[in-house]
PDB file of all heavy atoms in Angstrom:
ATOM      1  N   GLU J 168    -162.869  82.432  60.365  1.00  0.00           N
ATOM      2  CA  GLU J 168    -164.041  81.617  60.082  1.00  0.00           C
ATOM      3  C   GLU J 168    -165.034  82.395  59.224  1.00  0.00           C
ATOM      4  O   GLU J 168    -165.352  83.537  59.508  1.00  0.00           O
ATOM      5  CB  GLU J 168    -164.696  81.235  61.411  1.00  0.00           C
ATOM      6  CG  GLU J 168    -165.967  80.427  61.264  1.00  0.00           C
ATOM      7  CD  GLU J 168    -166.632  80.182  62.609  1.00  0.00           C
ATOM      8  OE1 GLU J 168    -166.271  79.224  63.279  1.00  0.00           O
ATOM      9  OE2 GLU J 168    -167.507  80.984  62.995  1.00  0.00           O
ATOM     10  N   TYR J 169    -165.492  81.765  58.149  1.00  0.00           N
ATOM     11  CA  TYR J 169    -166.523  82.385  57.312  1.00  0.00           C
ATOM     12  C   TYR J 169    -167.731  81.464  57.200  1.00  0.00           C
ATOM     13  O   TYR J 169    -167.613  80.249  57.314  1.00  0.00           O
ATOM     14  CB  TYR J 169    -165.989  82.675  55.912  1.00  0.00           C
ATOM     15  CG  TYR J 169    -164.917  83.734  55.865  1.00  0.00           C
ATOM     16  CD1 TYR J 169    -163.683  83.473  55.294  1.00  0.00           C
ATOM     17  CD2 TYR J 169    -165.145  84.994  56.401  1.00  0.00           C
ATOM     18  CE1 TYR J 169    -162.696  84.439  55.251  1.00  0.00           C
ATOM     19  CE2 TYR J 169    -164.161  85.972  56.361  1.00  0.00           C
ATOM     20  CZ  TYR J 169    -162.938  85.693  55.786  1.00  0.00           C
ATOM     21  OH  TYR J 169    -161.972  86.650  55.750  1.00  0.00           O
ATOM     22  N   ASP J 170    -168.873  82.060  56.937  1.00  0.00           N
ATOM     23  CA  ASP J 170    -170.101  81.300  56.730  1.00  0.00           C
ATOM     24  C   ASP J 170    -170.372  81.274  55.233  1.00  0.00           C
ATOM     25  O   ASP J 170    -170.505  82.333  54.620  1.00  0.00           O
ATOM     26  CB  ASP J 170    -171.246  81.999  57.480  1.00  0.00           C
ATOM     27  CG  ASP J 170    -172.575  81.312  57.261  1.00  0.00           C
ATOM     28  OD1 ASP J 170    -172.577  80.210  56.681  1.00  0.00           O
ATOM     29  OD2 ASP J 170    -173.601  81.879  57.682  1.00  0.00           O
ATOM     30  N   ASP J 171    -170.432  80.087  54.636  1.00  0.00           N
ATOM     31  CA  ASP J 171    -170.714  80.046  53.189  1.00  0.00           C
ATOM     32  C   ASP J 171    -172.216  80.112  52.908  1.00  0.00           C
ATOM     33  O   ASP J 171    -172.631  80.112  51.755  1.00  0.00           O
ATOM     34  CB  ASP J 171    -170.073  78.827  52.519  1.00  0.00           C
ATOM     35  CG  ASP J 171    -170.639  77.520  53.034  1.00  0.00           C
ATOM     36  OD1 ASP J 171    -171.843  77.471  53.317  1.00  0.00           O
ATOM     37  OD2 ASP J 171    -169.896  76.538  53.137  1.00  0.00           O
ATOM     38  N   ARG J 172    -173.012  80.169  53.943  1.00  0.00           N
ATOM     39  CA  ARG J 172    -174.462  80.296  53.820  1.00  0.00           C
ATOM     40  C   ARG J 172    -175.056  79.232  52.908  1.00  0.00           C
ATOM     41  O   ARG J 172    -176.046  79.463  52.201  1.00  0.00           O
ATOM     42  CB  ARG J 172    -174.833  81.696  53.316  1.00  0.00           C
ATOM     43  CG  ARG J 172    -174.308  82.802  54.229  1.00  0.00           C
ATOM     44  CD  ARG J 172    -175.040  84.090  54.009  1.00  0.00           C
ATOM     45  NE  ARG J 172    -174.769  84.691  52.735  1.00  0.00           N
ATOM     46  CZ  ARG J 172    -173.710  85.445  52.478  1.00  0.00           C
ATOM     47  NH1 ARG J 172    -172.828  85.683  53.422  1.00  0.00           N
ATOM     48  NH2 ARG J 172    -173.544  85.960  51.285  1.00  0.00           N
ATOM     49  N   SER J 173    -174.441  78.070  52.859  1.00  0.00           N
ATOM     50  CA  SER J 173    -174.912  76.934  52.066  1.00  0.00           C
ATOM     51  C   SER J 173    -175.027  77.254  50.580  1.00  0.00           C
ATOM     52  O   SER J 173    -175.833  76.652  49.882  1.00  0.00           O
ATOM     53  CB  SER J 173    -176.264  76.402  52.580  1.00  0.00           C
ATOM     54  OG  SER J 173    -176.179  76.089  53.950  1.00  0.00           O
ATOM     55  N   THR J 174    -174.213  78.186  50.070  1.00  0.00           N
ATOM     56  CA  THR J 174    -174.207  78.407  48.625  1.00  0.00           C
ATOM     57  C   THR J 174    -172.786  78.219  48.082  1.00  0.00           C
ATOM     58  O   THR J 174    -171.818  78.652  48.697  1.00  0.00           O
ATOM     59  CB  THR J 174    -174.678  79.819  48.227  1.00  0.00           C
ATOM     60  OG1 THR J 174    -173.793  80.762  48.836  1.00  0.00           O
ATOM     61  CG2 THR J 174    -176.073  80.114  48.690  1.00  0.00           C
ATOM     62  N   SER J 175    -172.713  77.564  46.928  1.00  0.00           N
ATOM     63  CA  SER J 175    -171.402  77.238  46.341  1.00  0.00           C
ATOM     64  C   SER J 175    -170.618  78.486  45.991  1.00  0.00           C
ATOM     65  O   SER J 175    -169.414  78.568  46.227  1.00  0.00           O
ATOM     66  CB  SER J 175    -171.582  76.428  45.068  1.00  0.00           C
ATOM     67  OG  SER J 175    -172.148  75.207  45.345  1.00  0.00           O
ATOM     68  N   GLU J 176    -171.299  79.473  45.409  1.00  0.00           N
ATOM     69  CA  GLU J 176    -170.603  80.666  44.952  1.00  0.00           C
ATOM     70  C   GLU J 176    -169.971  81.396  46.143  1.00  0.00           C
ATOM     71  O   GLU J 176    -168.844  81.875  46.077  1.00  0.00           O
ATOM     72  CB  GLU J 176    -171.591  81.573  44.205  1.00  0.00           C
ATOM     73  CG  GLU J 176    -171.006  82.862  43.654  1.00  0.00           C
ATOM     74  CD  GLU J 176    -169.877  82.632  42.645  1.00  0.00           C
ATOM     75  OE1 GLU J 176    -169.903  81.620  41.940  1.00  0.00           O
ATOM     76  OE2 GLU J 176    -168.973  83.482  42.589  1.00  0.00           O
ATOM     77  N   GLU J 177    -170.710  81.432  47.244  1.00  0.00           N
ATOM     78  CA  GLU J 177    -170.209  82.084  48.455  1.00  0.00           C
ATOM     79  C   GLU J 177    -168.988  81.331  48.994  1.00  0.00           C
ATOM     80  O   GLU J 177    -168.011  81.935  49.425  1.00  0.00           O
ATOM     81  CB  GLU J 177    -171.335  82.105  49.499  1.00  0.00           C
ATOM     82  CG  GLU J 177    -171.135  83.067  50.626  1.00  0.00           C
ATOM     83  CD  GLU J 177    -171.056  84.504  50.148  1.00  0.00           C
ATOM     84  OE1 GLU J 177    -171.838  84.899  49.254  1.00  0.00           O
ATOM     85  OE2 GLU J 177    -170.185  85.224  50.646  1.00  0.00           O
ATOM     86  N   LEU J 178    -169.065  80.004  48.935  1.00  0.00           N
ATOM     87  CA  LEU J 178    -167.950  79.182  49.411  1.00  0.00           C
ATOM     88  C   LEU J 178    -166.708  79.441  48.566  1.00  0.00           C
ATOM     89  O   LEU J 178    -165.611  79.630  49.097  1.00  0.00           O
ATOM     90  CB  LEU J 178    -168.327  77.701  49.344  1.00  0.00           C
ATOM     91  CG  LEU J 178    -167.159  76.761  49.617  1.00  0.00           C
ATOM     92  CD1 LEU J 178    -166.836  76.745  51.092  1.00  0.00           C
ATOM     93  CD2 LEU J 178    -167.432  75.378  49.113  1.00  0.00           C
ATOM     94  N   VAL J 179    -166.896  79.440  47.242  1.00  0.00           N
ATOM     95  CA  VAL J 179    -165.764  79.658  46.342  1.00  0.00           C
ATOM     96  C   VAL J 179    -165.097  80.990  46.675  1.00  0.00           C
ATOM     97  O   VAL J 179    -163.880  81.099  46.772  1.00  0.00           O
ATOM     98  CB  VAL J 179    -166.248  79.632  44.874  1.00  0.00           C
ATOM     99  CG1 VAL J 179    -165.176  80.157  43.948  1.00  0.00           C
ATOM    100  CG2 VAL J 179    -166.636  78.227  44.476  1.00  0.00           C
ATOM    101  N   ARG J 180    -165.912  82.012  46.901  1.00  0.00           N
ATOM    102  CA  ARG J 180    -165.362  83.330  47.177  1.00  0.00           C
ATOM    103  C   ARG J 180    -164.665  83.351  48.546  1.00  0.00           C
ATOM    104  O   ARG J 180    -163.614  83.961  48.705  1.00  0.00           O
ATOM    105  CB  ARG J 180    -166.471  84.375  47.123  1.00  0.00           C
ATOM    106  CG  ARG J 180    -165.969  85.671  46.550  1.00  0.00           C
ATOM    107  CD  ARG J 180    -167.032  86.528  45.934  1.00  0.00           C
ATOM    108  NE  ARG J 180    -168.199  86.695  46.725  1.00  0.00           N
ATOM    109  CZ  ARG J 180    -169.431  86.477  46.291  1.00  0.00           C
ATOM    110  NH1 ARG J 180    -169.630  86.070  45.068  1.00  0.00           N
ATOM    111  NH2 ARG J 180    -170.461  86.662  47.070  1.00  0.00           N
ATOM    112  N   ALA J 181    -165.251  82.667  49.521  1.00  0.00           N
ATOM    113  CA  ALA J 181    -164.653  82.657  50.856  1.00  0.00           C
ATOM    114  C   ALA J 181    -163.310  81.936  50.846  1.00  0.00           C
ATOM    115  O   ALA J 181    -162.349  82.397  51.475  1.00  0.00           O
ATOM    116  CB  ALA J 181    -165.607  82.002  51.855  1.00  0.00           C
TER     117      ALA J 181
END
Side-chain angles (χ1 to χ4, degrees):
Chain J
E168 178 185 274
Y169 293 125
D170 177 9
D171 64 36
R172 302 199 291 277
S173 305
T174 60
S175 295
E176 180 60 31
E177 197 61 41
L178 171 75
V179 167
R180 216 156 47 232

